Amino acid sequence: MEALANQLPIGLSIAAVLLLIALGLTFTFGQMGVINMAHGEFIMAGAYTAYLLQGWAGEQSFLLALPVAFAVAGLLGLLLEWALIRRFYGRPLDTLLLTWGVSLILQQLARDLFGAPNVQATAPGWLTGGIDLMGVRMPYNRLFILGLAVVCVVGVWWYLAKSPQGRRMRAVVQDRELAAYSGIATGRVDRFTFLLGSGLAGVAGVALTLVGPVGPGLGTFYIVDAFLVVVAGGLGQLRGAVIAAVALGMLNSFLEFWSDASLAKVLVFVVVIAFLQVRPQGMFVLRGRSLV
Amino acid sequence: MRSRLLKALTLSLTLPVVLVAGCVSEPGTGASPGVGGDGIKVGVLHSLSGTMAISEVTVKDAELLAIEELNASGGVLGKKLVPVTEDGASDWPTFAEKAQKLISQDKVATVFGGWTSASRKAMLPVFERNKALLWYPVQYEGLESSPYIFYTGATTNQQIVPALDYLAAQGKKKLFLVGSDYVFPRTANKIIKAYAAAKGIEVLGEEYTPLGHTEYGTLVNKLVDAKPDAVFNTLNGDSNVAFFKQLRSAGITAAGTPVVSVSVAEEEVKGIGPDNVAGHLVAWNYYQTTRTPANDTFVKAFKAKYGVDKVTSDPMEAGYNAVKLWAAAVTKAGSTDVEAVKKAAGGIAIDAPEGTTTIDGGNQHVSKTARIGVVEPDGQIKEVWSSGAPITPDPYLKGYDWASGLAP
């Protein structure tokens, strides 16, 4: 029974990881409709940034790595958008192949730069250990990821709802032509959206070094889950992504508790597929004026 | 638009599988004959990309070092060895396809390759069909003896059984089994359960996770709840990093619940972070710290070729040995002909870094010394127990009463 109670915070911490990796995608995939297969590699770029900073500044550089990784991954995303993706808007299948190719190139680049084996990113001392909450042990690193996810969600919400930039972005998403006629530089908004979405992937990458491997294949472990969250939540919907991440996290943790990891993964997919049969557009639907 | 997007996404999730599986072999490296002229072509087939690259690249490096050393001392049968390297890409059908390519297109004399049992099982029919030779350099689950494969890593009675004996001698009565979800861990655990049933050891849990799995919260929770005396870990690849990091942050220490790993060597310890795995046990036949003259030479040569911060590990040593053993067999046979080499191989012994290792002509495995080690905070592994002498390979565990029900 006690073990069962333990699954609740574990489910939450899985949800936090899912949310962090998917948050950037709610921008690039959700808002702009770009299936960015290289999103996982931006996560990887964030993780390697944490590793490199550690080599230069010691393990206390972990907090510093968060903004730096945001910048590194964000710039990579910006570059990708500017150099390639903007030529492919409205052609989802082509962008899919394009970004998948980019993801393979980035993986090989990481392998050439850092070697095929995993590298070691040490967690700072204050993140090792944990506390007992109501008889449930919560590791500090899990709490940190949870906190970071909350901060990122609030930040994204504030950006979309309150800032002028966010307002412009929503305008472009809802009706690109009308936004352009109203004097919004849609190209610049696209680029900025990509910067933010990719930057968030970088932040996720830094957080993931606390619990997972840091290697060239890092992105491939998370990319499918990230898309799963965004699709189940409804494209472009922040609250959808949050609810989907929590639901999938809980589902994962309890299904794994009662079966095993392989079966849980299958069952989660079955549930999502069944859910999408009922609600093909995910939990929340963005109502636009387009007829399609 | 939206539904098109979803369709494209579905495609995107299946695409990598389809594309990788459909990869077509690249054209051969040239017109030079497989065997003859002034070179002998040999294949080196490991995952240089994908989730297994972390481990397999190092084995490839060790095999290339052995080939280079042989060439420096005059080659084999007076001819230089020419390695043809292929990438198995952590994808089992690709292994089969590349093996076929090395055999029929490059006409190599032999192939050194594979890591996961799944890759070996995929290549096995290719080598048997073509009557070609594969040297497989990694410890595995046993219960196999193909006439066209030489196994230079440990079989179960040279690694898993000694590890269980060691745990039993330490008074560990309750075990928890954790493994990746494929052939090796499942078969290894079958053997462990048979052993446990016969020796009065309790198996409290048996958990599998997909290769590349990174979320171990639930599994660690189950483990904490079960309160085992020790954990037997057959996870492979990147998963080990996530497992040990999350085990440690859940407050499980090596002193309270030691984990015995059979797929974590020096190279993996580096990626996991020595802090996260220090004090836990590993079972192998060779460590970088193993004291033999041949190992001094091996470690020195490896560092000279690949960099001073590189480490050497058991599968690397087994890959290195495979090349040397094959060369010795070819020299004895006077030819690279597969049947002649197989015939000559039985009884061939070399002074390997792990000590003397001898090919068993019957089952084509090699004799190996079993060693239990503990991971040190500096990332090296210290031997705490050894079998003293090489153990004769027994892939079907015929010499063990408790294992009578295991053979297929």
Side-chain angles (χ1 to χ4, degrees), chain B residues 47-58:
Chain B
S47 296
L48 311 181
S49 57
T51 189
M52 291 310 300
I54 168 184
S55 304
E56 291 192 56
V57 167
T58 63

Side-chain angles (χ1 to χ4, degrees), chain A residues 189-214:
Chain A
V189 170
D190 288 343
R191 236 164 293 150
F192 199 72
T193 308
F194 230 85
L195 176 104
L196 277 182
S198 312
L200 284 169
V203 171
V206 176
L208 286 176
T209 63
L210 294 174
V211 290
V214 184

Side-chain angles (χ1 to χ4, degrees), chain A residues 3 6-7 10 90 93 96-97 100 111 117-118 120 137 139 142 209 211-212 221 227 231 256-257 259 262 280 292, chain B residues 1 6 9 11-12 15-16 19 48 54 181 215 217-218 221-222 225 238 241-242 245-246 249-250 267 270 273:
Chain A
N6 260 336
Q7 285 309 109
I10 287 170
L93 274 178
L96 156 67
L97 282 175
W100 192 53
R111 204 167 283 126
N118 288 320
Q120 182 199 354
R137 187 184 164 90
R142 291 286 189 179
T209 63
V211 290
F221 305 142
F227 274 109
V231 170
E256 188 182 335
F257 187 76
S259 58
S262 306
V292 198
Chain B
M1 165 72 195
L6 286 181
L9 180 69
L11 181 64
S12 78
L15 197 66
L19 284 193
L48 311 181
I54 168 184
D181 207 351
E215 186 53 71
T218 306
N221 185 27
K222 286 186 191 176
D225 198 44
D238 304 283
V241 183
K245 277 186 180 174
Q246 292 169 33
S249 61
E267 190 64 53
K270 231 168 66 167

